[in-house]
Amino acid sequence: MATAWKPSPVIKIYEALGAVADGRVEIDGDTARVTSSDKAKTYDVRHDPGAGSITANDNGSYWQGYLGYPGIAYLMERGVLAYDDGLTAGLAGVPWKELATRYRNDWAKVEKHVREVLSEKGVDLDRFDAGLAEISSRLEDLALTKLSPRLRPPK
């Protein structure tokens, strides 16, 4: 029996929206390559729509058991995961890797920082939060399972 993904942390939805906003998702049929915000790594995503399975080789997907931002971004770009494209605007150009390093992978601090930037850009945070909750709910409703074989994350 296929293994279900753990729920993705909401910060991974922010990151996925950022990847979409930056045009870092390159789709080729049921696969994609997603480039990291600092352009240092490229992640591979594979999807089997018929089986309702997906895999990606980012650290979250590989080590933590939740679908990470490359997989989520792929699902958004393919139209499998509906989202309000107005949510992407404020997230273009966010230096995720730099923020993760600065805040020592404390994602709550990264999120606080990004929300301050969004607020400065005039983003309606209530509308933004409602959009994130909707995406999170839709992602869980997809009930995707882990597609084998899994690929190790890039070095």
Side-chain angles (χ1 to χ4, degrees):
M1 168 140 171
T3 311
W5 289 98
K6 290 181 195 168
S8 300
V10 73
I11 192 73
K12 297 301 160 185
I13 296 172
Y14 284 76
E15 270 189 282
L17 289 164
V20 169
D22 292 340
R24 294 187 277 116
V25 184
E26 226 178 280
I27 293 179
D28 181 11
D30 291 335
T31 65
R33 294 177 63 74
V34 181
T35 307
S36 62
S37 61
D38 65 358
K39 312 284 190 278
K41 292 181 181 173
T42 302
Y43 301 105
D44 295 302
V45 179
R46 289 181 301 115
H47 182 218
D48 180 341
S53 297
I54 189 168
T55 191
N57 67 340
D58 57 283
N59 286 327
S61 298
Y62 191 83
W63 299 107
Q64 305 299 323
Y66 59 74
L67 186 61
Y69 85 87
I72 298 169
Y74 161 85
L75 292 168
M76 290 174 167
E77 286 283 46
R78 278 300 299 271
V80 175
L81 182 59
Y83 68 98
D84 171 355
D85 59 9
L87 298 173
T88 61
L91 294 169
V94 172
W96 295 101
K97 178 63 180 167
E98 181 190 312
L99 294 174
T101 303
R102 182 188 317 170
Y103 295 111
R104 294 182 170 83
N105 292 330
D106 181 334
W107 293 105
K109 288 180 180 168
V110 172
E111 183 177 5
K112 182 177 186 288
H113 176 98
V114 171
R115 291 178 70 78
E116 286 166 3
V117 170
L118 290 173
S119 187
E120 287 164 13
K121 288 181 178 178
V123 171
D124 177 342
L125 292 179
D126 289 336
R127 181 171 167 256
F128 184 80
D129 289 343
L132 289 176
E134 209 166 285
I135 293 166
S136 189
S137 174
R138 286 182 182 149
L139 186 57
E140 289 213 29
D141 289 347
L142 289 173
L144 295 165
T145 57
K146 295 179 183 179
L147 179 63
S148 292
R150 293 172 36 202
L151 300 171
R152 288 185 72 86
K155 294 276 182 242

